[in-house]
Amino acid sequence: MHTQNYIHQHRERFLQELCDFLRIPSVSTQPQHAADVQKAAQFVQQKLLSAGCDQSILITTKKYPLCYAEKIIDPKLPTILVYGHYDVQPIAPAHLWTHPPFEPIIRDGKIYARGASDDKGQLYLQIKAIETMIANHCLPCNVKFLVEGEEESGSESIIQFLSEKKNQDLVQADIILISDTTLLAKDLPSISISTRGITYVELTLTTAKRDLHSGLYGGAVANPIQTLCHIISQLKDPLHKITIPGFYDNVQTLSQSARNVIQAAPFDTDAFQTSIGALAVGEVGYTTPERVGARPALDINGIWGGYIEAGAKTVLPAQAHAKFSIRLVPNQTIEEIEHKLCQYLHHLTPTWAKLDINIHSGGGNAIFFDHQQKCFQAASLAFAEVWGNQPFWTRGGGSLPVITQFKEKLGLDCVLMGFGLPSDAVHAPDEHFHLDHFFKGMTTVIAFYQHFVRSTS
Amino acid sequence: MHTQNYIHQHRERFLQELCDFLRIPSVSTQPQHAADVQKAAQFVQQKLLSAGCDQSILITTKKYPLCYAEKIIDPKLPTILVYGHYDVQPIAPAHLWTHPPFEPIIRDGKIYARGASDDKGQLYLQIKAIETMIANHCLPCNVKFLVEGEEESGSESIIQFLSEKKNQDLVQADIILISDTTLLAKDLPSISISTRGITYVELTLTTAKRDLHSGLYGGAVANPIQTLCHIISQLKDPLHKITIPGFYDNVQTLSQSARNVIQAAPFDTDAFQTSIGALAVGEVGYTTPERVGARPALDINGIWGGYIEAGAKTVLPAQAHAKFSIRLVPNQTIEEIEHKLCQYLHHLTPTWAKLDINIHSGGGNAIFFDHQQKCFQAASLAFAEVWGNQPFWTRGGGSLPVITQFKEKLGLDCVLMGFGLPSDAVHAPDEHFHLDHFFKGMTTVIAFYQHFVRSTS
């Protein structure tokens, strides 16, 4: 219980430091904040050093530095690599914040600021956890930190970094620990054991060499928007299945035991529908958590063409455009799916139209972790000890390129030990983080270190 | 031949006056040109007076004045009402003009300026035609002018004006004469005997109360863009027929004689396709001129939803939008079609989406003129006399609200005696008008007056 006393004694300082961190407007997508993002990197580097790391350095990249730190107590002991990010989302729409987003305040047990939950608050509890263990001489293994500043803008630099052998050697570890996700709900801890892959595609359909007058030409030449809509309407069938030939060839059938794991996590369809004002609609034969976590999806992310301002313009446009993404599940590869998709799209394109397909870089395959592994069992024990409940194993529907890279380049699984809540308003106005989660998170992380090392010995 | 001599003698003055008219940047859609539009109205009023009209007045409206003028030589004689407009389109894209758009120049027998063909040059030849007839004491009937300044921005004031009984009495005539269209090609005179009706509709489809993350929700809720595309794809069948139930109920079958008239006008499919870089595609069983002039059409004019800027954003949007227009043919009414359309759109909307339909004002029914009437035969004789060729009867695919109003409010047909060419670049950079068409147009108009009065006596 020394660690609990330490956390209690330093509670105010920990909060003040977190506020200092949150005051830095490190918005990585906005060039006007470039100096702020650099400042946040230095802040993390300094705090890792003062937490007791042997070394803490900033590694220059093409854009924002990676902060690497380590505390090696014995090369023969296991090593945990902690990942996090010091950059934040833009504040837009700014007028909807009830308090300035970079002037953190504490209200009703929550700290409000951009980045409070995603990811500064969660990264900082990891830093304070190792400070606590080092100060109390109970760090049971080696620890490394790799913290990036481009998570909200594509993670390009860390992906480049991880592709080089010498860097892979530098950050090599036994397991990766990340606090950048949420619990299922308050007092319902959960650990996500999967992410979906993604490929992002942009289409341009051209039917004429210039825009035409819809009176003088309407009915006599094809309309590219109509044609694009017809193509898009053929990407799914009435049962909400994706119709790309061969699309499901490599999709693993969801076993009954896997379904049982998913079903064990509480899910309230009514609450789900009410929270977003939408009906639960999807692939026939699957529940909502299965559709999100264990089945592929295809979504149109944007469409545009012709006249889109106020009023009427009778234009028959020359082009129409769409952006869409496909979420993949394990055993599907982006190469396979992109190939099948392109073939099908060209097949659907009529003679009167020219189709250009632009596949964005940055796609990646799905990841699935076996929760029977020691590291996940250790995480489960840590949650049970601190929260009184064992965590549910959930499947995340999003795509985290960094996790895919960690798996593919380092061969490592990630324990996603997040302490946010779905209601934290990340990426939105009035983002906040529950203070008890900040401190209970620290305690849980410390418990995880102990259980993990015990499980490996 | 007095009139020919007069035109020849005053040729330079006529051109200088036209240049003065073209120098006024009377762009009616742009508020910064409000004073210029007023100046153009005064110019027309003055020139109608100096041409010999008994009176020429400006009638105040909510926006730009209507210029009304008349020369009544004998109330027992027929009356021709000449319509035209003194406003012009904006000059954008300005950088593509090879010469300043409001500094008219003459090059290779053409006069270049915004409005040269649409409609200042064509309106001015009508004014110079009556000046010539009055000066040579050969005006054979009464003439009235009604010239508006909002043709390029919705014609709202003239439509309002024509809805009042006292104004209908003021402008009452036997026939309306308009020079605001084109010949089929150089030395191929033509007269358009129809316009299509139009209804313009905007759709908003809502599936959620806020934008969602396509990773966290993709596959579990409906995508509004996908849903909208599916609705749009069901508005036409593979034979390019419109699928709204009952849509063709009142469409007149095209008789063989009507098809013969359309087919008589030369049409080169290859040239048509090359000029716009598009394939001729449309309703099976009809030629391109029939599809444009004699069959209804449905065109998506704009579509938008989700993320439409550069790069990738994995959003599952809450809404998607489209604008589209339906071109109607005679016997279809906008009330009937709008009713059937709305019913069908709601029928196509699935349970998970909310559809809002906004029908724009300003729609109108189709117009069709019987070219066997005396006024059209008189126009044919006038063309044959001056151009050496009888005009072809063509069917226009566009919609001209003013013509519909003239028919519905005054019960009058319009002789569309245009002297532009399809290559005049109206609404585009380097708009121009052939000078020989300017002068031959005057002569044709004078010949029309004589033939028309002869045909009615």
Side-chain angles (χ1 to χ4, degrees):
Chain A
M1 294 307 292
H2 294 125
T3 54
Q4 282 310 296
N5 289 339
Y6 184 87
I7 291 171
H8 187 72
Q9 279 167 17
H10 295 273
R11 183 184 166 91
E12 283 311 309
R13 174 172 61 84
F14 286 3
L15 280 180
Q16 282 317 311
E17 289 172 7
L18 176 58
C19 287
D20 291 343
F21 194 13
L22 292 170
R23 273 186 205 103
I24 307 168
S26 51
V27 183
S28 61
T29 57
Q30 297 179 327
Q32 69 268 34
H33 285 297
D36 299 315
V37 184
Q38 295 283 353
K39 198 174 155 193
Q42 286 156 13
F43 180 93
V44 170
Q45 185 222 348
Q46 288 303 318
K47 293 303 176 189
L48 280 164
L49 213 52
S50 62
C53 285
D54 304 325
Q55 64 157 311
S56 176
I57 59 170
L58 289 182
I59 299 167
T60 306
T61 71
K62 278 190 183 162
K63 206 168 167 198
Y64 293 120
L66 293 166
C67 180
Y68 173 77
E70 61 177 36
K71 175 78 178 178
I72 307 296
I73 58 170
D74 180 349
K76 289 194 287 292
L77 285 172
T79 302
I80 292 174
L81 173 64
V82 178
Y83 162 85
H85 62 94
Y86 59 79
D87 63 324
V88 299
Q89 277 274 316
I91 57 166
H95 66 285
L96 294 181
W97 286 77
T98 54
H99 194 83
F102 296 110
E103 297 176 18
I105 53 156
I106 291 168
R107 201 165 54 196
D108 303 331
K110 295 167 232 168
I111 184 161
Y112 284 79
R114 169 58 82 229
S117 178
D118 177 17
D119 179 44
K120 286 176 173 172
Q122 300 214 56
L123 168 62
Y124 210 64
L125 71 84
Q126 289 278 358
I127 297 175
K128 294 296 106 174
I130 64 142
E131 174 190 318
T132 301
M133 287 185 278
I134 294 170
N136 288 278
H137 311 290
C138 61
L139 181 67
C141 61
N142 305 310
V143 60
K144 296 178 177 177
F145 273 78
L146 186 63
V147 185
E148 69 161 318
E150 300 172 31
E151 201 273 344
E152 304 293 5
S153 57
S155 292
E156 211 174 302
S157 296
I158 195 170
I159 289 171
Q160 172 61 32
F161 174 84
L162 289 173
S163 70
E164 289 178 39
K165 179 72 174 63
K166 72 172 196 311
N167 299 328
Q168 294 167 7
D169 293 342
L170 178 71
V171 301
Q172 197 49 262
D174 294 274
I175 189 71
I176 293 167
L177 181 64
I178 303 177
S179 292
D180 193 19
T181 52
T182 64
L183 308 184
L184 206 52
K186 196 135 180 64
D187 301 320
L188 281 184
S190 58
I191 296 176
S192 178
I193 51 171
S194 72
T195 61
R196 291 195 283 191
I198 186 170
T199 178
Y200 199 99
V201 178
E202 193 162 327
L203 303 183
T204 298
L205 199 76
T206 307
T207 54
K209 70 180 178 190
R210 61 175 172 87
D211 285 359
L212 303 170
H213 188 292
S214 75
L216 305 183
Y217 291 91
V221 297
N223 184 302
I225 301 174
Q226 182 91 19
T227 305
L228 182 60
C229 286
H230 197 58
I231 292 173
I232 289 173
S233 76
Q234 293 174 83
L235 297 178
K236 285 192 194 173
D237 70 12
L239 301 178
H240 306 282
K241 289 212 180 275
I242 295 161
T243 49
I244 300 165
F247 182 81
Y248 293 96
D249 282 357
N250 295 320
V251 172
Q252 267 181 343
T253 306
L254 205 55
S255 69
Q256 191 54 51
S257 66
R259 298 187 95 156
N260 290 345
V261 169
I262 295 171
Q263 217 173 341
F267 178 78
D268 180 337
T269 301
D270 285 344
F272 170 82
Q273 294 186 139
T274 304
S275 71
I276 57 176
L279 285 185
V281 172
E283 194 184 2
V284 167
Y286 295 91
T287 65
T288 293
E290 287 169 353
R291 288 167 180 164
V292 169
R295 297 294 296 174
L298 184 156
D299 264 294
I300 313 298
N301 304 112
I303 193 166
W304 71 104
Y307 183 71
I308 62 176
E309 291 169 52
K313 186 180 177 188
T314 50
V315 62
L316 199 173
Q319 290 193 320
H321 313 262
K323 292 176 196 264
F324 69 94
S325 52
I326 300 180
R327 302 281 173 170
L328 308 176
V329 293
N331 291 4
Q332 292 184 303
T333 67
I334 56 168
E335 293 77 15
E336 170 214 350
I337 295 304
E338 287 167 358
H339 176 71
K340 289 174 175 172
L341 170 68
C342 289
Q343 278 202 315
Y344 186 51
L345 288 172
H346 284 297
H347 166 75
L348 292 177
T349 304
T351 51
W352 60 72
K354 179 175 158 287
L355 177 70
D356 292 299
I357 305 174
N358 171 22
I359 298 178
H360 286 230
S361 61
N365 296 330
I367 293 292
F368 181 74
F369 304 126
D370 175 8
H371 70 277
Q372 306 288 1
Q373 288 178 83
K374 287 172 183 171
C375 58
F376 289 99
Q377 293 305 313
S380 179
L381 289 171
F383 266 115
E385 190 176 303
V386 178
W387 297 75
N389 295 310
Q390 281 200 324
F392 295 102
W393 306 107
T394 59
R395 297 217 194 193
S399 307
L400 292 165
V402 158
I403 291 181
T404 308
Q405 294 299 310
F406 284 143
K407 184 72 184 180
E408 293 181 357
K409 298 291 163 38
L410 304 180
L412 294 183
D413 287 356
C414 296
V415 175
L416 297 172
M417 187 176 262
F419 302 99
L421 279 175
S423 55
D424 280 353
V426 299
H427 295 208
D430 284 347
E431 177 177 350
H432 58 271
F433 190 38
H434 286 255
L435 289 186
D436 58 336
H437 286 218
F438 180 63
F439 292 109
K440 269 168 107 169
M442 262 173 241
T443 309
T444 314
V445 167
I446 292 168
F448 171 72
Y449 275 68
Q450 317 300 324
H451 286 292
F452 173 64
V453 173
R454 206 170 299 153
S455 75
T456 58
S457 61
Chain B
M1 294 305 292
H2 294 126
T3 54
Q4 282 310 295
N5 288 339
Y6 184 88
I7 291 171
H8 188 72
Q9 279 166 17
H10 295 272
R11 183 184 167 92
E12 283 311 308
R13 176 173 60 85
F14 287 2
L15 280 181
Q16 284 317 312
E17 289 172 7
L18 175 59
C19 287
D20 291 344
F21 194 14
L22 292 170
R23 275 187 204 100
I24 307 168
S26 50
V27 183
S28 61
T29 55
Q30 297 180 326
Q32 69 268 35
H33 285 297
D36 300 314
V37 185
Q38 296 282 355
K39 198 174 155 194
Q42 286 155 13
F43 181 92
V44 171
Q45 185 221 350
Q46 288 304 319
K47 293 302 176 189
L48 280 164
L49 213 51
S50 61
C53 285
D54 304 325
Q55 63 156 311
S56 176
I57 58 169
L58 290 183
I59 299 167
T60 306
T61 71
K62 278 191 183 159
K63 207 165 166 201
Y64 292 120
L66 293 166
C67 179
Y68 172 77
E70 61 179 36
K71 175 78 178 176
I72 307 296
I73 58 170
D74 180 349
K76 289 194 288 291
L77 285 171
T79 301
I80 293 173
L81 173 64
V82 178
Y83 163 86
H85 64 94
Y86 59 79
D87 64 323
V88 298
Q89 277 274 315
I91 58 166
H95 65 286
L96 293 182
W97 287 77
T98 54
H99 195 83
F102 297 110
E103 296 174 20
I105 53 155
I106 292 167
R107 202 165 53 197
D108 303 330
K110 297 167 230 168
I111 184 161
Y112 284 79
R114 168 58 82 229
S117 178
D118 176 18
D119 179 43
K120 285 176 173 172
Q122 300 214 54
L123 167 63
Y124 210 64
L125 71 86
Q126 289 277 357
I127 298 175
K128 294 297 105 175
I130 64 142
E131 174 190 317
T132 300
M133 288 184 278
I134 293 169
N136 289 277
H137 311 289
C138 62
L139 181 67
C141 61
N142 305 311
V143 60
K144 296 178 176 177
F145 274 78
L146 186 63
V147 185
E148 68 160 320
E150 300 172 30
E151 201 273 344
E152 304 293 3
S153 57
S155 292
E156 213 175 300
S157 296
I158 195 170
I159 289 171
Q160 172 61 33
F161 175 84
L162 290 173
S163 69
E164 289 177 40
K165 179 70 173 68
K166 72 171 195 313
N167 299 329
Q168 293 166 7
D169 292 343
L170 177 72
V171 300
Q172 197 48 262
D174 294 273
I175 190 69
I176 293 167
L177 181 63
I178 303 177
S179 292
D180 193 18
T181 51
T182 64
L183 308 183
L184 205 53
K186 195 129 181 68
D187 300 321
L188 281 184
S190 59
I191 295 176
S192 179
I193 51 172
S194 72
T195 61
R196 290 194 285 190
I198 186 170
T199 179
Y200 199 100
V201 179
E202 194 162 326
L203 304 182
T204 298
L205 198 78
T206 306
T207 53
K209 70 181 178 190
R210 61 175 171 86
D211 284 359
L212 304 170
H213 188 292
S214 75
L216 305 182
Y217 292 91
V221 298
N223 184 302
I225 300 174
Q226 182 91 21
T227 305
L228 181 61
C229 286
H230 197 58
I231 291 173
I232 288 173
S233 76
Q234 293 174 83
L235 297 177
K236 285 193 195 172
D237 71 13
L239 301 179
H240 306 282
K241 290 213 179 276
I242 295 162
T243 48
I244 299 166
F247 181 81
Y248 293 96
D249 282 358
N250 295 319
V251 173
Q252 268 183 343
T253 307
L254 205 54
S255 69
Q256 191 53 51
S257 66
R259 299 185 93 155
N260 291 346
V261 169
I262 295 170
Q263 217 173 339
F267 179 78
D268 180 337
T269 301
D270 286 344
F272 171 82
Q273 295 187 137
T274 304
S275 70
I276 57 176
L279 286 185
V281 172
E283 194 184 3
V284 168
Y286 296 92
T287 65
T288 293
E290 287 170 353
R291 287 167 180 164
V292 169
R295 298 294 296 174
L298 184 155
D299 264 292
I300 313 297
N301 304 112
I303 193 165
W304 71 105
Y307 183 69
I308 62 176
E309 291 168 52
K313 187 180 177 189
T314 50
V315 63
L316 199 172
Q319 290 193 320
H321 313 262
K323 294 177 195 264
F324 67 94
S325 51
I326 300 180
R327 302 280 173 170
L328 308 176
V329 292
N331 290 4
Q332 292 184 303
T333 67
I334 56 168
E335 293 78 13
E336 170 214 350
I337 295 303
E338 287 168 358
H339 176 71
K340 289 174 175 173
L341 170 68
C342 290
Q343 279 203 314
Y344 186 51
L345 288 172
H346 284 297
H347 165 75
L348 292 177
T349 304
T351 50
W352 60 72
K354 179 173 158 288
L355 178 70
D356 291 300
I357 305 174
N358 170 23
I359 297 178
H360 286 230
S361 61
N365 295 332
I367 292 293
F368 181 74
F369 304 127
D370 176 6
H371 70 277
Q372 305 289 0
Q373 288 178 84
K374 287 174 186 170
C375 58
F376 289 100
Q377 293 305 314
S380 180
L381 289 171
F383 266 115
E385 189 175 304
V386 178
W387 297 74
N389 294 311
Q390 282 200 323
F392 295 101
W393 307 106
T394 58
R395 299 218 194 191
S399 307
L400 291 164
V402 158
I403 292 181
T404 309
Q405 293 300 311
F406 284 142
K407 183 72 184 180
E408 293 181 356
K409 297 291 161 36
L410 304 179
L412 294 183
D413 287 356
C414 296
V415 175
L416 297 173
M417 186 176 264
F419 302 100
L421 280 176
S423 55
D424 280 353
V426 300
H427 294 209
D430 285 347
E431 178 177 351
H432 58 270
F433 191 38
H434 286 254
L435 288 186
D436 59 334
H437 286 219
F438 180 63
F439 291 107
K440 269 168 108 169
M442 262 173 241
T443 310
T444 313
V445 167
I446 292 169
F448 171 73
Y449 275 67
Q450 317 300 325
H451 286 291
F452 173 64
V453 174
R454 208 170 298 154
S455 75
T456 58
S457 60

